[in-house]
Amino acid sequence: MTSNDSPAIRLPTDLRAAEDQLLRSVQVAIRSGTCQRWAASLRFENLRFMPVALRLARALLASEHALILAWPDAGAAALARRDAQDLSDLIQDFNQIKRARTDKPDPRLLVAIAPSPADYEEFQELCETHAGPVLMLNGRLEDAAVGIGSVARERRKGFVASWQQAYWLQPLEGGALLRSYPDDWHLFRQDSDGYRLINSSPDRPDPDTTAARLAGEDPDGLKQQLSGVDRFLDGLRN
């Protein structure tokens, strides 16, 4: 990816540049002390994420961050130990961490690799009992299959809402979405001469607003239409 904008808000040119940007954002976020739960994501299709996670772990260790690398399942943890023998003592799966829990608080950075909705309860318990900060890499906590019922709403209000995004990079059809802490969320449109910044906001734009901006439409008009639909659906439920 390339951008025509200032270096402070430029899209990374390749995966390694994105990893460097992610590392810097995570370091600033953790040092800020404003939150104990941070998330960072590279939303590329077909990305082999294990090498990315291992490179990030080595970079964090090099910058004197004591950490644990946590995979949701034993199989993925075993593969990580095979591929990174230098990190094998730090690599555990969620069950291992749970079984090894003691009364002594662990202040290390817990780096959780790609937890999914299937790991929700176990991961939530892990985070609530860990004394140090937690960094979730390419995690996905909300399940579209849960829908808009009470379970989904409680998740959003509780554990899901407790996370702050340290880094997010997502290619889109005709653009890209970037958040690099402590900067705002930046939406780029892909023009003939590269990527151009078209909007910045403190909060992550929803998919409908993003699509409207990339299409050159007024997102406020779209929001009014969707609000009317929401009111209609609420009326049907009551």
Side-chain angles (χ1 to χ4, degrees):
M1 292 182 179
T2 58
S3 170
N4 296 321
D5 299 282
S6 64
I9 52 174
R10 181 166 296 181
L11 287 170
T13 55
D14 54 29
L15 177 60
R16 290 304 180 97
E19 290 180 31
D20 289 342
Q21 196 176 53
L22 185 155
L23 172 65
R24 291 194 298 271
S25 300
V26 165
Q27 289 174 321
V28 172
I30 293 172
R31 284 198 299 266
S32 73
T34 58
C35 180
Q36 282 287 90
R37 296 174 183 169
W38 294 98
S41 296
L42 294 171
R43 293 298 178 182
F44 295 102
E45 286 189 20
N46 303 317
L47 174 64
R48 292 182 61 247
F49 197 71
M50 184 175 292
V52 175
L54 296 176
R55 287 193 292 267
L56 176 64
R58 292 188 180 101
L60 289 169
L61 287 169
S63 59
E64 300 184 348
H65 284 279
L67 57 85
I68 313 167
L69 272 176
W71 264 264
D73 63 271
L79 288 175
R81 292 189 197 96
R82 182 200 66 186
D83 292 347
Q85 296 183 15
D86 57 315
L87 301 174
S88 60
D89 291 343
L90 305 177
I91 295 171
Q92 300 184 51
D93 61 64
F94 287 0
N95 276 329
Q96 281 181 297
I97 297 174
K98 183 178 179 179
R99 290 196 303 267
R101 189 177 298 147
T102 65
D103 293 334
K104 185 179 179 180
D106 190 342
R108 290 179 294 176
L109 172 65
L110 176 65
V111 182
I113 315 299
S116 72
D119 311 306
Y120 186 94
E121 284 77 14
E122 190 175 24
F123 183 52
Q124 180 178 14
E125 181 185 353
L126 195 68
C127 292
E128 290 177 346
T129 56
H130 185 68
V134 182
L135 173 63
M136 175 174 60
L137 296 179
N138 267 33
R140 187 168 60 89
L141 298 180
E142 293 189 274
D143 189 348
V146 174
I148 58 173
S150 60
V151 174
R153 286 196 293 269
E154 287 305 313
R155 285 184 172 185
R156 283 194 290 270
K157 286 190 292 186
F159 182 58
V160 173
S162 68
W163 295 85
Q164 287 196 38
Q165 202 74 42
Y167 189 79
W168 180 277
L169 178 60
Q170 180 183 15
L172 303 168
E173 185 176 353
L177 182 63
L178 170 70
R179 201 279 163 107
S180 181
Y181 184 87
D183 292 337
D184 285 346
W185 290 81
H186 301 303
L187 180 63
F188 295 82
R189 184 184 62 229
Q190 187 176 17
D191 295 333
S192 58
D193 58 345
Y195 285 83
R196 190 175 305 278
L197 179 68
I198 60 171
N199 183 258
S200 297
S201 60
D203 300 315
R204 177 181 171 182
D206 62 69
D208 293 320
T209 297
T210 297
R213 291 193 188 282
L214 290 176
E217 300 172 354
D218 179 11
D220 291 333
L222 177 64
K223 284 180 179 178
Q224 289 178 358
Q225 296 177 31
L226 293 175
S227 177
V229 174
D230 287 341
R231 287 195 297 271
F232 173 72
L233 292 175
D234 287 340
L236 292 179
R237 294 189 199 104
N238 297 329

